[in-house]
Amino acid sequence: MTLKLYNTLRNRKEVLVPLQEGRVGLYVCGITVYDICHVGHARSAVVFDVLRRYLEYRGYEVIYVKNYTDVDDKIIARANAEGVSIYDISNRYIAAHDEDMSGLGVLRPTVTPRATEHIDGMIRLIEKLVERGLAYAVNGNVYYAVERFPGYGKLSGRQLEDMMAGARIDVDEQKNNPMDFALWKASKPNEPAWDSPWGPGRPGWHIECSVMSQKYLGDSFDIHGGGEDLVFPHHENEIAQSEGATGKPLANLWVHNGFVKINSEKMSKSLGNVFSIQEMLSRYSAEAIRLFMLQSHYRSAVDFSEESLSEARQGMDRFYTALKAISDLLAASGGDSAPPSPESLSGKTAELFTLIQSLPDRFVEAMDDDLNTARAIGYLFDAARQLNAFLSDAKAARSDAGRNVLALAEKTIKEIGYVLGLFQEDPDLYFQRDRERETRKRGIEPAEIEQLIAERWAARTEKNWQRADEIRKILTEKGIVLKDTPTGTTWKVA
RNA sequence: GGCGGCAUAGCCAAGUGGUAAGGCAGCGGUCUGCAAAACCGUUAUACUCCGGUUCAAAUCCGGAUGCCGCCUCCA
């Protein structure tokens, strides 16, 4: 079985054939660090985090490069507005970004280079493009001559003529062709500048990625990723720069994730519906957010809303309920579990074993098909249901064979979950945090709840059902759901 | 104006030629003092519409309608 990914370059799914056996080079365009990250950044980060984790799960060594763009108009504007240097701005938002990522359970890429650390490389690459006749300097600026690069438009599937026809382009007398883009910009006053053969200036937006991908992954590498909005012009221009200089294909597979919408609207500053990762994480668990995103295919648009996130929370609740039931049973019944021996199993236990044993294969089958996480999660829900069914038969579940199969199930689900970044928390801790988050969100005072529950428990022991039901009603109205067990009453927010 | 995508039950969402995964919500039941959770059953004669290809289409082709994205900074 082999992993197929949808390749934007050829508009079809293609098999990943690593350039070097056993190793995959992955480059993803990171963020411009001028503001805190929003849920759109989160989606891209989670998608490629899962790709990286899955490749590693399949045994590849992955070199994952994700850059920070730390010099650009918006950063400069912000630095000038605050009267600080661009590094003050970029350092601040890189720190915020890193915190958001770890909050989302996104693993650190192998290399996280910054554009400003690669200015020399950019200058060398630009010189090479000038030498090759693909770029020209005018008044301290250097532009890429797009019509000189035969493949221009191949990624986004456009013709140069079409683009020029309806494009809204600033008239720039300095450019030979309106579609030409800046490789190097002459610095204006109050802008950071680096010395170059064309005078003091700063790099254009696209050149950094060509330089950094080459430096860490070579002239050609396996997968280049980013949000779908980067297809044009950013990735198209990267191809023009890199392939123009090396004459070799930049990346074999171009992978792009779909957009995030908010309440069915495009997320944009003008609509005022930009949700930050920080805000999202204060309202929902990282795993619920990941589950929500991964229940849709990575290339389709995903619609954030209170309702959809809350459904994902219910979904996580379901998984952790099953996981908790397993770990509780294993802990209570004591003793170590051993790997099940299939020939000794029968009936329900054997059926469950077969199902659990096939789970990794089905997971791989789904993931190999262009990272079909939605299908994979479907299999996991299915497994959760079967596990709960099995657990409801206490005798079977507590037998040695049953415990062994349950232990295997727990291990398998966590291993698969790791690839998706799910099920990595202790169930009790998960529910505790969920309760803290939800009570905070709704302004509920936990102590007050606990007191009412204690009062109800007392009423129940006296078989004062009327009072017990009264209290239940009060709590239900507050959105609190009670669960009576032989040892006490637990609660959660609905 | 150019390029591209999507349209599956109340909602979300897989499925890419052989007869509709999964989740949420709902309904009936088991369990429970009552509940909750869990489980069992149930919920699309059917995949926007109209044609076509085929023994067979949600799946392929043509057309229509509707939404959306990109072409300008953007994950």
Side-chain angles (χ1 to χ4, degrees):
Chain A
M1 288 191 280
T2 42
L3 172 60
K4 278 192 199 156
L5 290 170
Y6 187 87
N7 189 357
T8 307
L9 191 58
R10 279 181 278 278
N11 291 315
R12 61 179 190 220
K13 290 184 201 172
E14 293 188 345
V15 173
L16 168 73
V17 182
L19 293 167
Q20 280 183 57
E21 204 184 328
R23 296 182 78 177
V24 174
L26 169 64
Y27 187 93
V28 175
C29 293
I31 56 155
T32 301
V33 282
Y34 73 101
D35 204 347
I36 56 171
C37 291
H38 53 66
V39 292
H41 298 112
R43 159 109 113 145
S44 182
V46 167
V47 165
F48 290 103
D49 183 53
V50 169
L51 174 59
R52 178 258 188 93
R53 286 167 182 254
Y54 183 62
L55 288 166
E56 288 175 349
Y57 176 79
R58 296 301 306 275
Y60 294 107
E61 179 193 348
V62 179
I63 303 166
Y64 176 20
V65 182
K66 182 176 169 181
N67 70 291
Y68 297 109
T69 297
D70 62 350
V71 53
D72 129 294
D73 290 350
K74 289 188 290 287
I75 298 173
I76 294 167
R78 188 137 198 170
N80 287 343
E82 295 187 23
V84 297
S85 83
I86 58 166
Y87 297 105
D88 292 318
I89 299 296
S90 57
N91 288 338
R92 180 198 306 162
Y93 292 112
I94 284 172
H97 165 273
D98 291 353
E99 196 175 314
D100 287 344
M101 291 302 126
S102 72
L104 285 169
V106 170
L107 300 177
R108 243 192 123 70
T110 321
V111 189
T112 52
R114 297 170 64 143
T116 53
E117 291 164 351
H118 298 80
I119 303 286
D120 291 348
M122 297 186 210
I123 290 171
R124 281 198 299 277
L125 180 60
I126 295 169
E127 283 181 310
K128 189 157 186 182
L129 290 169
V130 173
E131 276 166 33
R132 297 194 125 204
L134 290 166
Y136 55 94
V138 187
N139 299 333
N141 299 294
V142 185
Y143 298 103
Y144 192 104
V146 292
E147 78 281 8
R148 305 291 300 278
F149 181 70
Y152 198 74
K154 69 181 178 181
L155 180 69
S156 51
R158 324 158 185 240
Q159 304 293 319
L160 210 41
E161 306 84 71
D162 296 338
M163 289 190 256
M164 279 150 36
R168 291 168 279 170
I169 298 165
D170 296 336
V171 178
D172 187 337
E173 311 269 305
Q174 297 189 334
K175 291 183 184 176
N176 294 163
N177 180 315
M179 295 306 293
D180 289 352
F181 59 92
L183 296 167
W184 189 260
K185 298 176 175 177
S187 286
K188 302 187 193 89
N190 293 322
E191 287 187 355
W194 287 263
D195 287 332
S196 82
W198 314 283
R202 59 189 174 95
W205 172 35
H206 316 292
I207 196 72
E208 60 180 76
C209 288
S210 286
V211 170
M212 293 186 281
S213 64
Q214 185 185 41
K215 175 166 177 180
Y216 298 103
L217 298 171
D219 291 347
S220 296
F221 53 93
D222 301 297
I223 305 172
H224 192 128
E228 65 179 3
D229 54 320
L230 294 179
V231 173
F232 189 90
H234 185 54
H235 289 162
E236 197 71 71
N237 291 351
E238 269 185 64
I239 288 176
Q241 293 164 349
S242 296
E243 300 191 0
T246 66
K248 299 176 198 164
L250 176 57
N252 284 148
L253 293 170
W254 288 82
V255 177
H256 294 96
N257 66 274
F259 258 50
V260 166
K261 295 198 291 184
I262 304 287
N263 297 317
S264 310
E265 287 181 316
K266 181 189 161 130
M267 178 170 64
S268 76
K269 296 211 166 156
S270 55
L271 286 168
N273 61 355
V274 175
F275 279 87
S276 70
I277 295 176
Q278 283 169 17
E279 190 180 343
M280 212 48 95
L281 281 171
S282 78
R283 301 183 61 77
Y284 293 96
S285 74
E287 293 196 348
I289 295 170
R290 290 180 77 113
L291 180 69
F292 164 67
M293 294 196 283
L294 297 173
Q295 273 190 281
S296 297
H297 186 85
Y298 76 86
R299 278 189 288 115
S300 60
V302 102
D303 194 358
F304 268 82
S305 66
E306 203 60 39
E307 195 189 355
S308 56
L309 264 308
S310 137
E311 275 184 21
R313 172 179 168 249
Q314 300 289 4
M316 283 317 301
D317 196 305
R318 188 166 167 73
F319 281 120
Y320 274 114
T321 297
L323 288 170
K324 178 170 162 54
I326 295 173
S327 64
D328 284 355
L329 181 138
L330 292 175
S333 59
D336 294 326
S337 60
S341 41
E343 59 283 358
S344 70
L345 305 175
S346 59
K348 287 185 203 169
T349 314
E351 273 172 40
L352 182 67
F353 176 71
T354 305
L355 179 99
I356 294 302
Q357 207 184 23
S358 72
L359 200 51
D361 287 344
R362 283 180 292 148
F363 176 67
V364 166
E365 165 265 311
M367 295 293 279
D368 270 355
D369 184 13
D370 197 24
L371 243 42
N372 196 329
T373 51
R375 196 151 83 210
I377 289 167
Y379 294 146
L380 287 164
F381 272 115
D382 212 42
R385 195 185 65 246
Q386 303 284 359
L387 282 163
N388 282 328
F390 183 74
L391 283 158
S392 67
D393 181 345
K395 197 171 165 225
R398 285 191 188 139
S399 69
D400 281 352
R403 283 176 36 242
N404 290 344
V405 173
L406 286 170
L408 174 72
E410 184 183 43
K411 179 168 167 281
T412 304
I413 287 175
K414 283 186 179 173
E415 276 171 9
I416 288 173
Y418 179 78
V419 179
L420 303 171
L422 301 177
F423 323 138
Q424 299 305 298
E425 293 188 54
D426 173 78
D428 288 321
L429 213 53
Y430 175 85
F431 286 117
Q432 187 191 319
R433 289 195 179 133
D434 179 73
R435 215 160 54 195
E436 286 166 5
R437 216 169 13 241
E438 294 296 325
T439 47
R440 190 176 58 236
K441 244 158 62 174
R442 304 188 197 198
I444 294 167
E445 196 53 62
E448 197 185 314
I449 305 299
E450 303 280 4
Q451 201 194 320
L452 283 165
I453 287 174
E455 201 183 316
R456 179 168 168 276
W457 186 258
R460 287 186 77 225
T461 47
E462 290 163 16
K463 294 206 189 304
N464 183 352
W465 307 126
Q466 198 187 339
R467 179 60 186 153
D469 287 347
E470 251 172 52
I471 295 171
R472 177 192 289 287
K473 189 154 175 274
I474 293 168
L475 291 169
T476 301
E477 279 161 7
K478 288 175 181 284
I480 305 298
V481 179
L482 302 181
K483 180 184 176 187
D484 293 327
T485 74
T487 50
T489 297
T490 62
W491 62 281
K492 62 172 236 171
V493 182

